Amino acid sequence: MYVVVGLGNPGKDYANTRHNVGFNTIDILSERNNIKLNKIKFKSVYGEGIIGNKKVMLVKPQTYMNNSGISLREISQFYKLPIENIIVIVDDIDIDFASIRIRAKGSAGSHNGLKSIIYHLQNDNFPRVKIGIGKKRHEKQDLADFVLSKFSKEETIDIQSAILTSAEAVECIIKHGIDKAMNQYNSRTNRAQD
């Protein structure tokens, strides 16, 4: 089984903010694969279904971003999953806007959601799909204010395209493996080098 976790903050106030692109990607995966997000457990809203021929659980933690790892630890302990079968979808301020970057493992960087997951799982060997959400408007802008802001009209078309691409990338990881997904999606032109 694969567990696909989109990071974000629950509640209307946070809907469609930069920090919630992970939630938005889970919604697209849910639609594309006819997996209803209709269960509540593990401090999350989730749904179960099939992508390719693999059993998949789509998860939106409801713990707020900084405690995302609590939900994931409960799921991981319950299902005794291999760490590489947990795919995390996350926003990233360090790659080009609306670009996708797939990593098989790695540090959290400055992302509090990833920090929480690594802390609670005691492991950073899980794949992650990163979506570039842009850079702060100016040096003095508070990072929290920036990531909790909404996209401009001009940005929305590109970010919606990036969210769809990230959903396709997750499907590729599940169906064909992380290496094929990295080759296919990280090598696209207009992708950032990080």
Side-chain angles (χ1 to χ4, degrees), residues 7-152:
L7 299 192
N9 287 306
K12 286 190 180 133
D13 290 350
Y14 298 104
N16 299 315
T17 57
R18 292 171 196 275
H19 229 10
N20 273 35
V21 290
F23 273 18
N24 298 136
T25 305
I26 292 291
D27 291 338
I28 298 276
L29 282 164
S30 158
E31 284 168 31
R32 284 169 59 91
N33 296 283
N34 201 22
I35 299 174
K36 288 187 172 54
L37 301 171
N38 57 3
K39 298 185 171 145
I40 298 173
K41 195 180 175 182
F42 311 115
K43 299 183 179 62
S44 70
V45 172
Y46 71 98
E48 294 172 315
I50 304 289
I51 294 178
N53 56 0
K54 310 270 190 345
K55 189 165 183 213
V56 175
M57 184 172 171
L58 300 179
V59 181
K60 291 159 98 172
Q62 300 295 295
T63 52
Y64 291 96
M65 183 66 82
N66 296 358
N67 291 313
S68 301
I70 296 170
S71 169
L72 208 42
R73 184 185 65 208
E74 289 186 13
I75 292 167
S76 170
Q77 287 173 344
F78 186 83
Y79 289 105
K80 307 283 187 276
L81 291 169
I83 192 81
E84 57 273 13
N85 283 26
I86 296 171
I87 302 167
V88 177
I89 308 159
V90 60
D91 57 288
D92 196 313
I93 58 166
D94 296 319
I95 60 176
D96 284 353
F97 177 71
S99 67
I100 304 295
R101 172 68 51 192
I102 302 170
R103 287 279 175 261
K105 58 184 177 185
S107 73
S110 62
H111 199 286
N112 290 332
L114 286 178
K115 283 180 189 168
S116 173
I117 290 169
I118 292 168
Y119 172 79
H120 284 282
L121 296 182
Q122 293 294 294
N123 199 321
D124 65 1
N125 288 324
F126 54 86
R128 69 278 317 250
V129 178
K130 301 174 173 187
I131 303 170
I133 58 163
K135 306 264 188 280
K136 292 196 295 181
R137 300 277 181 260
H138 47 79
E139 278 307 302
K140 293 208 167 97
Q141 185 176 19
D142 181 61
L143 181 58
D145 288 343
F146 175 70
V147 297
L148 295 176
S149 67
K150 303 209 183 229
F151 295 102
S152 69

Side-chain angles (χ1 to χ4, degrees), residues 156-167:
T156 298
I157 294 169
D158 288 336
I159 206 67
Q160 284 175 338
S161 170
I163 288 166
L164 176 59
T165 302
S166 69

